Amino acid sequence: KQWYQRRVAITAGDADNKMVTDKEDVVIEDIKKEETDENVEKKEAEVVEVAVPEKEKPEMIVLDDINDEDTPGPDEIPTAEERGFWKAVDDNPNDFASWTYLLQVVEKNGKLKQIQKAFTSFLALYPYCYGYWKKYADQMKKLISNEAAFEVFNDAVVAIPLSVDLWTYFIHFIAEWKEGDESEIRMIYRRAVEACGQEYRSDKIWEAYVEWEKQTDKYKVLGLYKEFLGCIVQRHQYHFDKFREWIFFTPVKDMVTMEDIKVLLAKHKEEAERRRKETELKRLEEEELARQLAVAAEEQRKIVEEERLAADAIREEKLKEEEKRREEERLKEEGQRAALEAANKEEDVEMEGAEEDVKMDDVKMDESTPEPGVDESTPEPAPVVTEEKEEEKEEEEAKEDKKGRKSKRGASKRAPAKRTSRRSRKDTEEEEKEASETKEEEKVEVVEDKEEARKEENAAVEMETAAEQENVVAKEEEKENVVAKEEEKEELKEENVVSVEKDPEEQVEKMTEDFTKVDMEEPLPDSVDALTDRQEAAVREQILLDMAPVHEQILAELEEVSCFEEGIKRPYFHVKELERIQLKNWKNYLNLIIEKKDTARTIILFERCLIACAFYEGFWIKYVGFMAEIDEEETSKIYRRACMIHLVKKPQIHLNWAAFEEKRGHLEVAREALDHIETNLAGLIAVTLRRAGLERRSGNMQQGADILKGAIDTCRGRETRDYWIMKYVAYMQFNMCDLEKTREYLKEQVERAQRNKRLYMKMLEVERCPTTVTPDVPNVIEVFQRALTSSLSVEDKAGFSHRRLTFLEEFGTDVGMIIDAYDDHNRNYKSLLEEKKRERESSSHSN
């Protein structure tokens, strides 16, 4: 429907414009036909004057002089197209798209009255649209004058003082209009940086201001830089680097005056003296620390020496014990060896006897049974054992394993005393000799193994001792180095003392610290041109030294807030809703800055937030909650701005505003707040109860009763009407203490609705308890509090909380108690009740 209306309006507007153009052409043609040859020049002048009157310079129109009662001119009558869009925005003032179409149409038509009316009405509803302020100012400049545009810009920066873009437009306008007027341009720059200089994105205004002052008044640049670099703005490091470049590459005489130079040099001298004292104190502290380290090192050395001596004593004791143990083992082995030799000798004797017996048996056998073919007189030759065979045998035995040799020796020991095999005495002696040698070798190996173990143990002890001695030596060397350094310092100190005693000027010249770049004994010059290079360096250095702590603090602050600033994707105003992550980012950012207890910075951040979040009631309530503890008047202004401009249909903040004004005794403002929300959103129960309660608490009982009675007359629906009747009856009974009027009113209502059960119940209640005593508010609130802190379900507690609000609105005498009850309800139960309400609505829709 709206689209169709706009199309009709556009078509009608085009037709009207065409008709006007055709009429103008006819008039011009008629005038041309009346021209004659005799007065051509005169007629041409008249034709030009009539045909193109708009080329004449328009006379300046003062807005206050316009009389609405005069006959409307052509620019006051809207076209059909404009009327169509005016109807759309009148029907729905919140239709932002219709407003933008209307503004486009009036700009295209160029009618002054329509432009003023459209832009004024639009900006009253949406004052944060800085782009439309710029368009309005451009139209005023084009159609009226620079003065009119200035007034528009002035209203704009009052409405949005933190809009960097709007201030930039304003500055460009003044610079163009007042070209060459340094005072006017400087004044607008000052206004801009004072209004939005703390805004995070205001660095471009600061930068433009600095560059302008460099061309205008060079002695103001340094002070301006100090202000600029003390603000938490984006690209701070970049601007500080530019400041340093300006310091190093600009002559001192072009930066500061002679008075400032004297102050800086005196401050530099004090700073140098302070640093000298700090350096001396640090040197003394280092010397004391070195002395303490030396004492500690000496004590450690003594401890190590004592430990070394103790270790040596323990090692000597271990060596003695080991020597004693080896001697005992040696004696034991000698005894075993002697016993073994005796046993071997006995075995040898036995073996010799056995061999003699074998030989005798062989001889007898030979004599009795001679072999055939062999002469009995010829004896059998004994087996020959050569030395070569013995050596081969020894080599084979040497290659065998020790274990094999031992088993062989055991077998030889277990051999029977009498043997039937033929063996010579020499073979037997060799075997026994080898067995004896093998035993000796085994004993020697055991002794060697023990000796090697002892040596390894001694080597480990010696290595530990050597490591301890190396540590001691290293510590002694360190101590010697410390002592050497102390001696060198003492020598240097004595040399400095001697040099000071000889010539004080040499001491000044020998100062080698980085901060001492100026000769303190040089007299201050009378003019800037007489400055020495060292004095200029001192001036530059002192300026940077003054800015260093500020620079570090700003960098730390920027590091803390950079993540939040990067999360702000839409810092400007728009009617579209913000994303949840954007709202969360603003909330966390505000909590961080509030914790810092920086009032000015917190206010600026709140104002920035409310440009982007102008339609979010929670941020406004948070803002007034913060400001209420600081400035009541400013809090009242914030309430007015929120309720009258941005949140005209938000009841909660209107109720909070009314309670705030009532609490501080401004009853008229409280009534204004409640009347405003009643006008924009009529029929709200909470608003009506608050209006009646306000009159009751202020002593205007009859006005309160009239408000409730008016609610009965204007409400719709039987249930709502019954609700207000009960409230009105209770008000008459307990607050006005008039039982007769209460009875009469109930009888009248019963006559009108004889089948209304609630009215009869209320009549019975009044007659059963015919009292006019007001309920004891503290006792009733105590019961509510007991219910809210009990183990009831959350749904039941939410119901009791809502009943508490209604009771306090009807009978409460302290508006502060009402505010606290609302805060508790909104914090703990409002979301639950809204969720239940949505569930009921969805269920009814589905049914």
Side-chain angles (χ1 to χ4, degrees):
K1 183 180 178 181
Q2 290 181 358
W3 175 83
Y4 179 77
Q5 290 175 353
R6 291 172 188 163
R7 294 299 302 168
V8 171
I10 291 170
T11 305
D14 292 342
D16 292 344
N17 292 336
K18 189 174 185 305
M19 291 174 63
V20 172
T21 305
D22 294 340
K23 288 180 181 179
E24 290 178 355
D25 294 339
V26 171
V27 172
I28 293 172
E29 291 296 331
D30 292 341
I31 293 171
K32 288 182 179 180
K33 288 179 181 180
E34 295 176 358
E35 296 177 356
T36 60
D37 297 335
E38 297 177 354
N39 52 3
V40 173
E41 295 180 0
K42 182 177 180 181
K43 290 294 182 180
E44 286 180 355
E46 292 177 359
V47 170
V48 172
E49 184 178 355
V50 174
V52 284
E54 62 273 12
K55 287 188 178 180
E56 294 182 357
K57 184 176 181 180
E59 189 177 13
M60 188 180 72
I61 301 173
V62 181
L63 300 180
D64 296 338
D65 295 340
I66 297 175
N67 189 358
D68 296 334
E69 297 178 0
D70 295 341
T71 303
D75 61 340
E76 298 180 13
I77 301 175
T79 64
E81 184 181 17
E82 291 172 350
R83 286 196 297 271
F85 286 117
W86 273 116
K87 186 178 185 305
V89 297
D90 288 339
D91 293 342
N92 183 13
N94 296 323
D95 186 358
F96 189 82
S98 296
W99 277 110
T100 57
Y101 290 136
L102 174 61
L103 295 177
Q104 291 175 10
V105 171
V106 298
E107 280 187 286
K108 180 184 70 174
N109 294 337
K111 294 182 179 182
L112 176 60
K113 293 293 184 181
Q114 292 300 315
I115 289 173
Q116 289 177 332
K117 181 181 178 182
F119 274 97
T120 304
S121 302
F122 171 78
L123 292 171
L125 292 175
Y126 304 103
Y128 285 161
C129 294
Y130 71 91
Y132 288 96
W133 282 107
K134 170 67 166 51
K135 290 184 177 182
Y136 188 20
D138 291 342
Q139 291 294 326
M140 292 298 98
K141 178 182 176 182
K142 176 182 176 182
L143 298 175
I144 304 180
S145 64
N146 286 326
E147 285 79 3
F150 176 81
E151 293 297 331
V152 173
F153 271 123
N154 212 33
D155 293 340
V157 295
V158 171
I160 332 174
L162 288 178
S163 176
V164 176
D165 294 320
L166 193 56
W167 277 108
T168 304
Y169 296 144
F170 198 5
I171 291 169
H172 290 168
F173 167 76
I174 294 295
E176 183 181 352
W177 180 30
K178 303 288 186 180
E179 185 177 1
D181 192 343
E182 295 180 2
S183 61
E184 289 290 339
I185 298 174
R186 182 175 289 110
M187 183 178 66
I188 195 65
Y189 269 121
R190 289 307 310 172
R191 285 183 62 189
V193 296
E194 288 173 3
C196 71
Q198 297 290 335
E199 215 275 353
Y200 184 73
R201 294 169 175 81
S202 65
D203 59 313
K204 58 183 180 181
I205 292 181
W206 283 106
E207 191 172 11
Y209 189 10
V210 168
E211 294 301 324
W212 182 80
E213 285 291 7
K214 286 180 181 179
Q215 305 298 326
T216 308
D217 190 347
K218 55 189 177 183
Y219 294 121
K220 292 183 180 295
V221 177
L222 179 59
L224 190 58
Y225 258 127
K226 289 182 178 180
E227 288 185 71
F228 176 21
L229 297 176
C231 300
I232 304 173
V233 297
Q234 63 182 359
R235 302 195 305 162
H236 173 81
Q237 186 62 53
Y238 166 77
H239 295 299
F240 188 80
D241 292 340
K242 290 191 67 176
F243 168 67
R244 292 182 62 186
E245 290 178 6
W246 179 75
I247 290 293
F248 285 121
F249 294 105
T250 304
V252 173
K253 63 181 181 180
D254 293 337
M255 290 191 297
V256 288
T257 61
M258 190 61 211
E259 290 75 13
D260 295 333
I261 289 173
K262 291 180 179 179
V263 172
L264 289 170
L265 288 176
K267 192 174 181 179
H268 187 273
K269 183 176 180 179
E270 294 176 358
E271 187 72 15
E273 182 65 20
R274 183 184 65 81
R275 290 193 178 188
R276 187 190 63 79
K277 291 181 179 179
E278 288 180 357
T279 304
E280 183 67 19
L281 180 61
K282 186 176 181 180
R283 185 183 64 82
L284 294 175
E285 290 177 353
E286 290 177 353
E287 291 178 355
E288 178 64 20
L289 180 61
R291 188 187 63 78
Q292 293 177 359
L293 290 174
V295 172
E298 180 64 23
E299 293 178 354
Q300 185 66 23
R301 188 188 65 79
K302 291 180 179 179
I303 293 171
V304 171
E305 183 66 21
E306 292 176 357
E307 292 177 353
R308 186 181 65 79
L309 294 175
D312 291 343
I314 293 171
R315 188 171 60 257
E316 291 293 333
E317 185 68 23
K318 288 182 178 179
L319 290 175
K320 290 180 180 179
E321 292 178 357
E322 183 64 22
E323 187 68 23
K324 184 178 179 181
R325 182 178 61 77
R326 286 200 300 271
E327 183 66 21
E328 292 176 354
E329 290 179 355
R330 186 180 63 80
L331 295 175
K332 185 177 180 181
E333 289 174 358
E334 290 179 355
Q336 291 177 354
R337 190 181 298 111
L340 184 59
E341 290 178 354
N344 290 335
K345 288 180 179 180
E346 291 178 358
E347 289 180 359
D348 292 341
V349 172
E350 291 177 357
M351 292 295 295
E352 289 177 358
E355 289 177 355
E356 289 293 332
D357 294 336
V358 170
K359 287 180 179 181
M360 293 297 295
D361 292 337
D362 292 338
V363 170
K364 291 179 180 180
M365 188 177 294
D366 292 338
E367 291 177 355
S368 59
T369 57
E371 293 183 1
V374 180
D375 190 3
E376 294 179 359
S377 62
T378 304
E380 182 179 0
V384 180
V385 180
T386 62
E387 294 180 1
E388 293 178 356
K389 291 182 179 181
E390 291 179 359
E391 290 178 358
E392 291 177 358
K393 187 177 181 180
E394 290 177 359
E395 289 177 0
E396 290 176 357
E397 292 178 356
K399 291 180 181 179
E400 291 180 357
D401 187 76
K402 292 181 179 181
K403 186 176 181 180
R405 292 199 304 268
K406 290 180 181 179
S407 62
K408 185 177 179 180
R409 288 194 301 269
S412 62
K413 288 180 181 180
R414 291 190 298 269
K418 294 182 179 181
R419 303 179 61 180
T420 59
S421 60
R422 295 180 179 181
R423 296 183 61 186
S424 63
R425 179 179 181 85
K426 187 174 182 180
D427 292 337
T428 304
E429 290 178 356
E430 290 294 334
E431 289 177 358
E432 291 181 356
K433 183 178 180 181
E434 288 176 3
S436 176
E437 289 177 355
T438 302
K439 290 180 181 180
E440 290 295 330
E441 288 176 0
E442 289 177 356
K443 292 179 181 178
V444 171
E445 288 176 359
V446 171
V447 174
E448 288 178 354
D449 292 339
K450 291 182 180 180
E451 186 67 22
E452 288 177 0
R454 185 181 63 79
K455 288 181 180 180
E456 289 177 358
E457 184 179 355
N458 293 337
V461 174
E462 290 176 357
M463 288 177 66
E464 293 178 359
T465 305
E468 293 175 356
Q469 290 177 353
E470 288 177 359
N471 291 333
V472 172
V473 171
K475 291 180 179 179
E476 290 178 353
E477 290 178 354
E478 182 179 357
K479 178 184 175 183
E480 291 175 359
N481 293 333
V482 172
V483 173
K485 289 181 181 179
E486 291 179 357
E487 291 176 354
E488 290 178 0
K489 290 181 180 179
E490 291 295 332
E491 291 176 358
L492 291 173
K493 185 176 179 181
E494 291 175 358
E495 290 177 0
N496 291 333
V497 172
V498 172
S499 64
V500 170
E501 292 175 355
K502 290 182 179 180
D503 189 357
E505 294 182 357
E506 293 180 2
Q507 180 197 11
V508 177
E509 294 178 357
K510 290 181 179 180
M511 295 176 70
T512 56
E513 296 294 334
D514 293 338
F515 58 83
T516 310
K517 297 180 179 178
V518 61
D519 191 349
M520 298 304 169
E521 299 299 326
E522 287 185 2
L524 292 175
D526 297 331
S527 64
V528 180
D529 297 330
L531 281 172
T532 64
D533 293 340
R534 299 175 69 182
Q535 288 174 335
E536 288 188 359
V539 171
R540 289 190 173 91
E541 183 185 15
Q542 189 58 45
I543 293 172
L544 292 175
L545 287 174
D546 291 341
M547 290 301 299
V550 178
H551 176 58
E552 293 176 359
Q553 181 181 359
I554 296 299
L555 287 179
E557 294 287 349
L558 285 172
E559 184 178 359
E560 191 173 14
V561 304
S562 59
C563 58
F564 296 106
E565 292 292 346
E566 291 173 0
I568 300 173
K569 305 302 181 184
R570 197 181 81 185
Y572 52 87
F573 169 82
H574 202 282
V575 293
K576 292 182 179 180
E577 294 184 357
L578 277 172
E579 299 175 357
R580 294 178 64 88
I581 190 171
Q582 294 280 296
L583 298 175
K584 185 177 180 181
N585 182 67
W586 277 115
K587 183 179 179 181
N588 294 336
Y589 196 0
L590 286 169
N591 292 336
L592 172 68
I593 302 303
I594 289 172
E595 290 177 359
K596 292 182 175 294
K597 308 296 183 182
D598 189 341
T599 302
R601 190 177 172 190
T602 306
I603 292 173
I604 289 171
L605 186 61
F606 264 118
E607 292 291 345
R608 287 181 59 198
C609 170
L610 291 173
I611 291 175
C613 309
F615 294 151
Y616 291 90
E617 186 181 26
F619 288 106
W620 287 99
I621 293 175
K622 191 180 185 71
Y623 190 15
V624 295
F626 170 77
M627 285 298 297
E629 301 177 357
I630 300 172
D631 189 344
E632 289 188 352
E633 290 298 328
E634 190 63 31
T635 304
S636 180
K637 292 179 182 178
I638 296 169
Y639 267 126
R640 180 175 294 278
R641 184 151 51 101
C643 296
M644 296 297 182
I645 299 174
H646 304 286
L647 306 174
V648 293
K649 292 188 177 181
K650 295 290 185 179
Q652 186 59 53
I653 194 167
H654 283 79
L655 293 174
N656 291 356
W657 183 21
F660 173 78
E661 298 295 350
E662 181 184 356
K663 189 175 182 180
R664 66 192 197 117
H666 294 186
L667 299 181
E668 291 300 324
V669 182
R671 292 189 182 97
E672 180 186 2
L674 294 174
D675 292 342
H676 183 263
I677 187 62
E678 180 67 24
T679 302
N680 289 282
L681 203 63
L684 293 178
I685 293 176
V687 174
T688 304
L689 290 176
R690 179 64 64 83
R691 291 176 64 209
L694 172 63
E695 301 300 337
R696 174 179 58 80
R697 286 187 292 272
S698 60
N700 302 322
M701 295 295 181
Q702 188 58 48
Q703 285 85 340
D706 293 341
I707 291 171
L708 293 175
K709 194 171 183 180
I712 297 172
D713 297 336
T714 58
C715 69
R716 295 181 180 180
R718 177 180 172 180
E719 292 185 359
T720 307
R721 180 180 176 81
D722 291 346
Y723 176 84
W724 285 120
I725 289 174
M726 301 306 160
K727 296 300 179 186
Y728 178 69
V729 169
Y731 188 91
M732 295 288 292
Q733 179 180 0
F734 296 107
N735 293 317
M736 298 190 70
C737 302
D738 194 339
L739 282 175
E740 292 301 324
K741 287 187 177 181
T742 303
R743 293 189 180 99
E744 292 178 2
Y745 184 78
L746 282 173
K747 290 178 182 179
E748 293 176 1
Q749 297 300 319
V750 168
E751 290 295 330
R752 293 179 59 181
Q754 297 183 4
R755 300 182 65 179
N756 192 334
K757 178 181 177 181
R758 295 180 182 177
L759 295 177
Y760 293 105
M761 295 295 292
K762 188 63 178 178
M763 291 180 69
L764 289 173
E765 183 181 346
V766 170
E767 298 302 333
R768 185 169 57 85
C769 300
T771 179
T772 59
V773 179
T774 305
D776 191 342
V777 176
N779 290 338
V780 175
I781 294 300
E782 183 179 356
V783 175
F784 276 120
Q785 191 64 27
R786 180 174 297 179
L788 293 174
T789 56
S790 65
S791 58
L792 291 172
S793 65
V794 180
E795 291 81 0
D796 293 337
K797 289 182 179 180
F800 275 105
S801 178
H802 192 270
R803 288 174 178 269
R804 179 180 61 176
L805 293 178
T806 305
F807 173 79
L808 287 174
E809 291 287 4
E810 291 185 70
F811 302 104
T813 57
D814 183 7
V815 69
M817 186 180 295
I818 298 176
I819 296 173
D820 294 339
Y822 267 103
D823 291 341
D824 180 70
H825 181 77
N826 292 333
R827 183 171 55 252
N828 297 319
Y829 308 109
K830 183 179 180 180
S831 59
L832 177 64
L833 293 176
E834 290 178 350
E835 184 178 354
K836 293 293 183 183
K837 182 179 179 181
R838 285 194 296 269
E839 290 178 358
R840 289 196 299 270
E841 290 177 353
S842 61
S843 176
S844 62
H845 286 311
S846 62
N847 292 334

